[in-house]
Amino acid sequence: MRTQAIALFHRAFGGSPGTVASAPGRVNLLGEHTDYNGGPVLPMAISARTTVAVGPGEPGWLELVSARDGVVARVRWDGVMPDGWTRYIVGVQRELAARGSAPRGARLAVASDVPVGGGLSSSAALTVSTARALADLAGADLPPADLIGVAHRAEANQVGVRCGIMDQTIAVRGRAGHALLLECATGRTRAIPVRARLLLFDTGVRHQLGDGAYNTRRAECEAALDILRLTEPGLEYLAGWPARRVQTLRRLLSGTLRSRALHVVTETARTRAGADLLSRGRVRAFGRLLDASHESCRRQYECSAPELDLVVRAARRAGAWGARLTGAGWGGCVLALVGADSARPGTREEAIRAAVNRSFLRAYGREPSVTVLRAGPGARRERVQLE
Ligand code: ADP
Ligand code: MG
């Protein structure tokens, strides 16, 4: 992607970029719908990345091109917010300017192999790589925590997407061979080694009810929290309810709110336990938590979809050590754990791929796309010269 971004810069603007930076997409291994409830998540940076090549430009202006359409856009960055993807770049530029770390104007070329809108967080890969590149161009020092903050505010406040800090944090702090246990309430992180073979199946479906249901779930969690606070006034987040007191929680809540809260509280415990298991190399036990997470998403949180359940079932039947939906649900992707790295999972992997493809083809007349997931590094500066 580095070569593509530099070549695109050259084609669109002439000459070489001043700086080049890149940031990865991500997949969340465990911790579904825990982020906005103040719980932990376990994302892993993947090898697909977005690369941004930048050079100086006319003060007050940004000239932008993405390899996706190759069209050069010219926008004033302190004027009316534009539509479309350039908002993300304008948002980053404004957030950098607010802390005195922005160039006055810039030219910028984007190349990426992170699928856009596919739940692998192409948006954070874009904002983080852009923030890194623009700050470098301005000669500003941007420590990791500030890089996360700039990219997050660009998406949340400037673009207006109601998102947590997971995507930007992993895009910055990702580490090759590791996932990251991120406690969303405090921002604390711990690198967790991943010695496992993982597959990601993309069902390609995005159910219409997704966005509405997401907002409904958030409201339900707030309502459950309000009720629990009558008994526990100091409870700051739903995820803060201790898992060992789930019987009390069952008594205090009923119906839908009870189901939602049960998912959040058990998923919080599973995510922390899963991180511990992974770090001790107990991959098979980790897989059982993936299965439990999926069942909890399906039954308690009701955020699965028939396509996801079918892939999960087929993968498990074919020998996967665990499988679950990832990326909020109602469509999107399934993560399947093939086995430990050391176990030479080659034939099992073939069996899982074949079984999932066969079942999906029979039910829906097509095959899902599949990717082997490898934990890659976080945001970094790239070499500017083409060799
Ligand atoms: P996700 O982050 O899951 O991929 P989002 O809806 O959060 O999905 O972000 C996708 C948006 O980010 C796209 O619609 C586009 O505006 C922007 N984007 C991401 N990557 C690129 C890219 N390489 N080129 C142009 N725009 C991009
Ligand atoms: Mg996104």
Side-chain angles (χ1 to χ4, degrees):
M1 284 306 117
R2 187 181 72 87
T3 320
Q4 282 91 322
I6 295 171
L8 180 62
F9 186 95
H10 185 79
R11 251 197 331 277
F13 310 120
S16 304
T19 67
V20 182
S22 71
R26 62 97 187 96
V27 64
N28 188 21
L29 302 186
L30 200 51
E32 214 58 66
H33 295 280
T34 44
D35 54 346
Y36 53 85
N37 286 301
V41 287
L42 188 62
M44 180 179 101
I46 58 176
S47 45
R49 303 178 74 84
T50 296
T51 303
V52 175
V54 303
E58 193 185 330
W61 293 86
L62 294 175
E63 285 177 77
L64 315 161
V65 61
S66 168
R68 291 189 76 206
D69 58 11
V71 178
V72 177
R74 194 165 182 277
V75 293
R76 272 209 77 90
W77 59 264
D78 53 359
V80 180
M81 194 52 138
D83 287 336
W85 74 277
T86 58
R87 286 177 305 165
Y88 290 84
I89 313 296
V90 170
V92 168
Q93 169 73 7
R94 287 185 186 177
E95 288 297 333
L96 285 174
R99 66 191 296 291
S101 308
R104 292 167 63 208
R107 298 192 164 103
L108 189 147
V110 181
S112 177
D113 58 358
V114 184
V116 169
L120 297 177
S121 189
S122 69
S123 58
L126 179 62
T127 53
V128 167
S129 54
T130 299
R132 171 90 282 159
L134 287 176
D136 279 357
L137 186 69
D141 181 37
L142 208 59
D146 297 26
L147 182 54
I148 294 167
V150 164
H152 179 251
R153 288 193 300 278
E155 187 158 352
N157 302 350
Q158 304 283 348
V159 178
V161 179
R162 209 175 161 196
C163 61
I165 54 160
M166 168 166 74
D167 296 352
Q168 295 79 16
T169 304
I170 186 65
V172 171
R173 298 198 191 277
R175 213 169 118 187
H178 290 73
L180 199 69
L181 179 67
L182 164 64
E183 290 289 347
C184 296
T186 60
R188 281 193 50 183
T189 58
R190 182 157 70 103
I192 306 291
V194 178
R195 298 186 200 89
R197 181 86 171 172
L198 294 159
L199 293 178
L200 190 75
F201 291 97
D202 187 347
T203 64
V205 284
R206 188 79 203 116
H207 283 289
Q208 282 303 312
L209 81 153
D211 290 344
Y214 179 83
N215 291 333
T216 307
R217 291 296 176 280
R218 289 187 71 136
E220 288 164 349
C221 289
E222 280 162 30
L225 179 60
D226 284 341
I227 295 174
L228 295 176
R229 274 182 180 152
L230 299 175
T231 310
E232 244 5 282
L235 187 67
E236 218 176 320
Y237 301 101
L238 190 51
W241 186 273
R244 64 189 144 71
R245 291 186 59 209
V246 342
Q247 289 314 329
T248 315
L249 182 140
R250 280 178 182 281
R251 222 175 41 242
L252 293 172
L253 298 172
S254 61
T256 305
L257 296 191
R258 169 158 64 193
S259 300
R260 308 302 187 240
L262 277 174
H263 168 75
V264 172
V265 169
T266 58
E267 185 78 353
T268 293
R270 275 188 293 274
T271 307
R272 291 184 186 135
D276 271 346
L277 288 169
L278 261 191
S279 62
R280 287 187 281 132
R282 296 190 50 198
V283 177
R284 199 182 266 276
F286 176 74
R288 285 192 283 272
L289 295 182
L290 298 186
D291 287 340
S293 169
H294 186 78
E295 288 319 300
S296 181
C297 281
R298 188 169 72 80
R299 300 168 65 107
Q300 314 281 14
Y301 218 71
E302 295 179 88
C303 61
S304 191
E307 295 88 344
L308 298 169
D309 295 339
L310 179 139
V311 173
V312 165
R313 267 199 315 272
R316 282 182 196 157
R317 269 204 308 268
W321 285 8
R324 62 176 285 269
L325 68 86
T326 181
W330 298 292
C333 297
V334 166
L335 176 73
L337 174 63
V338 177
D341 256 351
S342 54
R344 300 186 197 285
T347 50
R348 193 176 326 123
E349 180 169 321
E350 282 317 306
I352 293 168
R353 285 172 181 252
V356 168
N357 284 341
R358 207 180 320 112
S359 304
F360 208 89
L361 186 63
R362 202 180 307 128
Y364 303 109
R366 60 188 175 82
E367 293 184 349
S369 74
V370 58
T371 324
V372 175
L373 296 173
R374 288 202 180 79
R380 65 182 182 208
R381 196 172 295 145
E382 302 279 353
R383 271 174 302 119
V384 174
Q385 295 305 323
L386 289 176
E387 43 286 311

